[in-house]
Amino acid sequence: MIPVLEIFGPTIQGEGAVIGKKTMFVRTAGCDFRCSWCDSSFTWDGSQKHLIQRMTAEEVYNELNKLAPNNFNHVTISGGNPALIKSLDSLVRLLKIQHIEIAVETQGTVFHSWLNEVDDLTISPKPRSSGMNQSLEQLDQFINSTKAVKRRSLKVVVFDEDDIEDALIYHKRYPDIPFYIQVGNPFLNESVENHRDYLLSRYEWLIESVMNDERFLNVHILPQLHTILWSNKQKV
Ligand SMILES: C[S@@+](CC[C@H](N)C(=O)[O-])C[C@H]1O[C@@H](n2cnc3c(N)ncnc32)[C@H](O)[C@@H]1O
Ligand SMILES: Nc1nc2[nH]cc(C(=O)O)c2c(=O)[nH]1
Ligand code: SF4
Ligand SMILES: [Mg+2]
């Protein structure tokens, strides 16, 4: 059984290497991290425990079809940390049989073999502002174990200058993996006035900081497109 917190879409992938792509989302419950600025803390802080459904792969697939009949060919699995869940192998198998592309978002702490079957794997190690002290040895192991994935990318969320230094550590450690820097969203409460102006000014700050830093060459600098549009609303 897969612990599912929400299934939604179609929407756009708002982050990373496939930003803008039309996709469905399956969000699993539970995380091994507790990032201070987690925009999905409801997956692990107990506040939406009553909404967690234990579903089979077939039930998840039926729900996706109910939400978007004949209107999706791409599913993004996020969380929480979906990589904690061994039983996602059944969903990955089922989606592949149906010729549906699969993307996964994870922080790179825990590996299961089904990860090697996904099409787009986003690995998002954490900078110090998260309060997490991510093990580089564990991340090395994860990176080594996922070499067979069709497309992999690294995505580091940045809130301040110290985080930029941490992003550089990850970029230098894995120079051959496409590298994305994403501006942090401090507005975890969905209704904030002028969130767009503020988020865009933070994005501008990040572009200026990284563009003028010759230690970064092969880098993509991105906002969270969906939070510019909809702030930190759930199910978008
Ligand atoms: C909610 S996490 C779920 C997947 C996995 N646990 C992870 O962290 O990669 C999905 C992505 O959102 C990013 N994220 C979380 N909170 C954020 C925030 N406040 N601002 C910007 N990005 C954030 C994470 O770093 C990660 O790249
Ligand atoms: N539109 C949209 N794009 C996203 N990209 C990554 C997300 C996530 O929470 O993992 C996310 C999300 O929650 N919504
Ligand atoms: S690893 Fe991802 S889901 Fe877990 S607390 Fe951090 S941002 Fe949130
Ligand atoms: Mg999100």
Side-chain angles (χ1 to χ4, degrees):
M1 291 294 199
I2 305 162
V4 177
L5 193 46
E6 54 186 17
I7 300 177
F8 61 94
T11 183
I12 50 150
Q13 166 56 275
E15 307 177 11
V18 291
I19 191 165
K21 189 170 179 73
K22 175 169 161 175
T23 188
M24 304 295 286
F25 275 87
V26 175
R27 191 183 299 286
T28 59
C31 192
D32 46 329
F33 275 9
R34 300 280 182 269
C35 298
S36 60
W37 37 250
C38 179
D39 62 9
S40 306
S41 55
F42 55 86
T43 60
W44 50 261
D45 66 7
S47 60
Q48 295 188 12
K49 207 172 159 194
H50 57 292
L51 298 178
I52 300 171
Q53 292 193 66
R54 300 195 178 272
M55 300 172 81
T56 62
E58 287 73 20
E59 284 166 346
V60 173
Y61 184 58
N62 287 344
E63 184 61 24
L64 289 164
N65 275 313
K66 220 155 90 187
L67 283 170
N70 304 314
N71 193 21
F72 72 97
N73 65 1
H74 190 275
V75 172
T76 304
I77 307 173
S78 186
N81 185 5
L84 294 174
I85 299 162
K86 189 176 176 301
S87 55
L88 274 173
D89 60 353
S90 54
L91 180 62
V92 168
R93 215 177 306 126
L94 178 57
L95 293 176
K96 282 187 91 86
I97 290 169
Q98 301 297 333
H99 303 290
I100 291 162
E101 281 209 313
I102 306 160
V104 167
E105 305 263 342
T106 182
Q107 65 265 41
T109 51
V110 178
F111 173 76
H112 280 301
S113 56
W114 60 261
L115 282 164
N116 272 317
E117 308 301 319
V118 310
D119 301 287
D120 283 290
L121 179 62
T122 302
I123 307 159
S124 184
K126 300 303 175 239
R128 71 193 79 171
S129 66
S130 69
M132 298 297 105
N133 192 2
Q134 183 145 11
S135 153
L136 288 175
E137 290 69 35
Q138 201 182 34
L139 185 60
D140 285 346
Q141 270 186 24
F142 185 89
I143 299 273
N144 267 326
S145 306
T146 54
K147 281 200 177 117
V149 175
K150 207 189 270 177
R151 292 178 294 267
R152 284 192 303 182
S153 60
L154 284 162
K155 176 176 75 186
V156 180
V157 169
V158 162
F159 278 81
D160 56 27
E161 261 129 38
D162 284 344
D163 285 353
I164 293 180
E165 296 307 308
D166 292 342
L168 189 67
I169 291 171
Y170 294 126
H171 182 36
K172 277 185 152 164
R173 200 169 179 95
Y174 315 107
D176 298 331
I177 304 184
F179 194 76
Y180 291 76
I181 292 194
Q182 169 168 304
V183 72
N185 170 25
F187 300 133
L188 303 181
N189 195 325
E190 69 180 71
S191 55
V192 182
E193 257 186 55
N194 298 328
H195 76 275
R196 285 183 185 160
D197 288 350
Y198 185 77
L199 290 178
L200 288 173
S201 75
R202 293 304 295 157
Y203 182 39
E204 201 172 1
W205 163 79
L206 186 61
I207 292 171
E208 277 162 14
S209 308
V210 176
M211 279 303 169
N212 295 318
D213 189 333
E214 50 199 41
R215 299 172 301 170
F216 287 98
L217 289 177
N218 275 321
V219 61
H220 305 247
I221 308 166
L222 287 178
Q224 277 181 305
L225 204 47
H226 58 107
T227 56
I228 290 177
L229 291 168
W230 304 303
S231 200
N232 198 35
K233 198 168 149 193
Q234 259 184 261
K235 295 197 173 189
V236 291

